[in-house]
């Protein structure tokens, strides 16, 4: 891909993302529980396109389907004070499951509730029989997306409706689109994948194309230990603007690693603040810094067992000023906005005390729950910290096609 084509592609994609944003995130401040209760009393349900006041009933079974979902979100907001974390997500998904819904979170980070409903729907679609299914995807304590799926003669139609709580505490239907699935598959990794396109006047005005949607819903549960390994050691790095998990390397051979990108990744982890060495607009990609050796080496050597001499030989070390020359990424090194995300699917302890994690790259944009796989080895240290030991691409066997990734054009 040429630099000119990449720049045009990124510009068009950015406009497309803005135009097709499904559900915006607004976090109203509801204050104490009394205020939250009052907010819920005014919650608005949408029925037949009209705004109808929904009041809580004594028995949740008496509530209309949409109202029942709103009640779950209200109860969670009252309990947490409108905070949102993994535990909140788990409780909300579990509550939706208890109310009879198939439900999962938007990041596929908790196990799906009602997975049997999805499996049955896929079975019916595969048999070309008629069936319906609704999957609720939790986007936050104040937002959710409902996917209503219908199948007939092996074809699937998708209706996606986004619900968002506004600043007044009322749930509003942010958007709704309906379109046929041009692709669907239940994968051996346990995902339901769906793709389709729909017409949007706003998006067409920006991109001269229809809106596209790629849906990836993890149906089968994952081992909780694998999820924990992923959250601690793989997800924080991911596949964006670094090649830690995109190349083959080991402690005996760091040749493939870009330590400049890894400095960008690990500086915020270590110092709990953004990297302060950013592009100066007037200088553009020519911006350069001299980072004191103690800062640079502390960041890299915290996460890798590499000696100073080896690290300095692979970077631009300036002995006369005891610093490393560093140039931040510029706009020409931007990556495609849609990239895979990692998912640890198995783990094994080695005899030397290291842990080997097998990771699948899930890539909804390419309709695959395993774009590639890699084995990453980590070392847990006595003080609870850890180091990355090696990474090996195990699938595909041929050259890895990471077209969405951009290497740095040049290093100092």
């Amino acid at each position: 891909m040429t630099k000119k084509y990449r720049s045009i592609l990124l510009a068009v994609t950015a406009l497309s993302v803005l135009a097709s944003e499904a559900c915006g995130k607004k976090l109203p401040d509801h204050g104490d529980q009394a205020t939250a209760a009052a907010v819920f009393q005014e919650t608005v349900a949408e029925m037949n396109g009209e705004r109808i006041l929904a009041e809580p009933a004594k028995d949740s079974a008496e509530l209309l389907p949409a109202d029942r979902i709103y009640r779950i979100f209200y109860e969670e907001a009252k309990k947490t004070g409108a905070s949102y974390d993994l535990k909140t997500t788990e409780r909300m998904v579990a509550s939706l499951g208890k109310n009879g819904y198939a439900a999962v979170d938007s990041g596929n980070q908790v196990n799906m509730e009602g997975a049997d409903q999805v499996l049955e729907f896929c079975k019916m679609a595969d048999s070309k029989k008629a069936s319906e299914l609704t999957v609720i995807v939790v986007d936050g304590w104040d937002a959710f997306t409902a996917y209503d799926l219908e199948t007939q003669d092996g074809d699937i139609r998708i209706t996606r409706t986004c619900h968002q709580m506004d600043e007044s505490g009322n749930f509003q239907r942010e958007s709704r689109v309906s379109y046929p699935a041009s692709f669907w598959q239940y994968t051996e990794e346990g995902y339901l994948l769906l793709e389709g396109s729909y017409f949007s006047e706003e998006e067409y005005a920006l991109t001269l194309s229809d809106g596209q949607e790629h849906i990836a819903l993890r149906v089968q549960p994952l081992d909780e230990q694998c999820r924990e390994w992923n959250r601690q050691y793989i997800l924080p790095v991911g596949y964006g603007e670094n090649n830690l998990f995109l190349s083959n390397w080991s402690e005996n051979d760091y040749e493939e690693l870009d330590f400049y990108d890894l400095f960008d990744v690990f500086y915020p982890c270590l110092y709990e603040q953004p990297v302060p060495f950013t592009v100066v607009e007037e200088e553009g990609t020519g911006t350069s810094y001299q980072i004191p050796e103690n800062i640079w080496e502390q960041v890299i050597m915290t996460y890798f067992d590499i000696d100073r001499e080896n690290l300095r030989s692979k970077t631009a070390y300036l002995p006369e000023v005891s610093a490393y020359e560093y140039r931040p990424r510029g706009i020409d090194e931007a990556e495609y906005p849609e990239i895979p995300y990692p998912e640890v699917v198995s783990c094994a302890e080695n005899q030397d005390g290291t842990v080997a994690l097998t990771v699948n790259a899930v890539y909804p944009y390419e309709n695959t729950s395993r774009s590639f796989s890699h084995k990453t080895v980590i070392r847990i240290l006595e003080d609870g910290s850890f180091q990355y030991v090696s990474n090996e691409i195990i699938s595909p066997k041929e050259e890895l096609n990471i077209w969405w990734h951009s290497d740095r054009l040049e290093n100092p």
Side-chain angles (χ1 to χ4, degrees):
M1 182 183 294
T2 66
K3 184 163 69 174
K4 179 179 179 181
Y5 179 76
R6 178 184 291 275
S7 299
I8 295 173
L9 177 61
L10 289 172
V12 171
T13 303
L15 289 173
S16 176
V17 169
L18 288 172
S20 61
E21 185 70 25
C23 300
K25 295 289 191 296
K26 299 177 182 176
L27 299 177
D29 181 6
H30 297 312
D32 57 23
Q33 292 186 9
T35 303
V39 165
F40 180 70
Q41 294 292 337
E42 299 175 355
T43 294
V44 175
E46 295 198 16
M47 300 293 293
N48 299 321
E50 298 178 357
R51 301 175 80 243
I52 302 173
L53 183 64
E55 295 184 355
K58 294 180 181 179
D59 183 357
S60 63
E62 298 174 15
L63 298 176
L64 295 170
D67 302 337
R68 193 178 302 140
I69 299 172
Y70 297 160
R71 177 66 177 271
I72 292 169
F73 279 68
Y74 155 72
E75 292 292 350
E76 193 58 47
K78 185 174 69 172
K79 181 187 300 181
T80 64
S83 64
Y84 189 70
D85 55 19
L86 185 64
K87 292 299 182 183
T88 304
T89 307
E90 291 174 343
R91 288 195 299 269
M92 294 175 76
V93 170
S95 294
L96 289 164
K98 289 178 182 178
N99 278 265
Y101 294 100
V104 72
D105 65 295
S106 57
N108 290 307
Q109 294 305 302
V110 303
N111 289 337
M112 175 181 279
E113 292 285 341
D116 55 331
Q117 299 179 42
V118 181
L119 293 174
E120 179 63 21
F121 178 85
C122 292
K123 179 181 177 181
M124 297 294 281
D126 199 44
S127 301
K128 297 186 177 182
K129 296 179 180 179
S131 185
E132 296 180 354
L133 170 70
T134 294
V135 181
I136 305 299
V137 178
V138 176
D139 295 325
W141 68 265
D142 67 334
F144 67 92
T145 302
Y147 288 101
D148 295 305
L149 308 179
E150 300 178 47
T151 182
Q152 183 79 36
D153 298 326
D155 297 325
I156 292 178
R157 186 165 191 84
I158 304 165
T159 299
R160 185 251 292 151
T161 308
C162 295
H163 299 258
Q164 175 77 50
M165 187 182 290
D166 63 23
E167 294 180 356
S168 300
N170 296 326
F171 268 104
Q172 303 288 349
R173 190 175 73 185
E174 289 285 292
S175 65
R176 186 173 192 174
V177 293
S178 184
Y179 54 91
S182 57
F183 169 89
W184 81 272
Q185 181 184 21
Y186 181 76
T187 72
E188 62 179 284
E189 290 78 32
Y191 269 84
L192 172 59
L193 303 175
L194 297 155
E195 178 191 359
S197 60
Y198 56 89
F199 178 75
S200 164
E201 290 184 0
E202 185 179 38
E203 183 158 346
Y204 190 83
L206 290 169
T207 66
L208 299 180
S209 63
D210 289 345
Q212 261 200 344
E213 186 161 33
H214 299 266
I215 304 167
L217 303 173
R218 169 160 276 286
V219 180
Q220 291 295 337
L222 269 181
D223 179 78
E224 187 53 40
Q225 182 61 68
C226 287
R227 288 195 181 277
E228 187 60 30
W229 288 116
N230 197 38
R231 286 192 290 267
Q232 290 191 46
Y233 308 116
I234 308 298
L235 265 177
V237 178
Y239 303 125
E241 295 188 341
N242 78 90
N243 69 348
L244 183 63
F245 305 134
L246 304 179
S247 58
N248 295 311
W249 61 271
S250 70
E251 290 181 332
N252 297 322
D253 183 7
Y254 288 111
E255 193 63 35
E256 293 297 317
L257 284 185
D258 187 324
F259 285 109
Y260 294 95
D261 279 343
L262 294 176
F263 180 84
D264 291 342
V265 169
F266 293 120
Y267 182 97
C269 298
L270 190 62
Y271 292 108
E272 298 183 346
Q273 63 180 12
V275 177
F277 314 105
T278 57
V279 172
V280 176
E281 187 173 348
E282 293 77 13
E283 299 180 21
T285 55
T287 304
S288 181
Y289 295 91
Q290 293 181 357
I291 300 178
E293 62 181 29
N294 62 314
I295 295 178
W296 180 276
E297 291 172 358
Q298 183 180 26
V299 170
I300 300 300
M301 296 173 69
T302 293
Y303 296 97
F304 298 91
D305 184 14
I306 184 172
D307 58 60
R308 287 180 173 82
E309 289 71 22
N310 195 5
L311 179 58
R312 293 174 181 180
S313 70
K314 299 184 183 308
T315 51
Y317 179 67
L318 308 173
E320 63 276 12
V321 292
S322 300
Y324 288 80
E325 187 176 0
Y326 165 83
R327 182 188 60 76
R329 275 179 175 254
I331 191 171
D332 288 338
E333 295 151 307
E335 296 184 336
Y336 195 80
E338 298 287 348
I339 66 173
Y341 65 87
E343 195 172 72
V344 174
V345 293
S346 68
C347 53
E349 295 187 13
N350 298 322
Q351 292 184 346
D352 61 1
T354 59
V355 178
L357 307 177
T358 301
V359 189
N360 286 344
V362 182
Y363 200 2
Y365 187 82
E366 286 196 340
N367 299 325
T368 176
S369 53
R370 189 174 61 181
S371 176
F372 61 93
S373 299
H374 57 98
K375 182 173 290 186
T376 303
V377 178
I378 60 171
R379 178 187 296 113
I380 310 298
L381 304 179
E382 292 183 359
D383 62 359
S385 61
F386 67 95
Q387 294 174 327
Y388 293 97
V389 176
S390 66
N391 187 73
E392 177 189 2
I393 304 298
I394 55 179
S395 175
K397 295 298 183 182
E398 61 272 14
E399 184 178 355
L400 182 62
N401 179 18
I402 48 175
W403 60 268
W404 41 267
H405 172 71
S406 176
D407 290 328
R408 286 174 181 253
L409 296 179
E410 60 180 276
N411 285 317

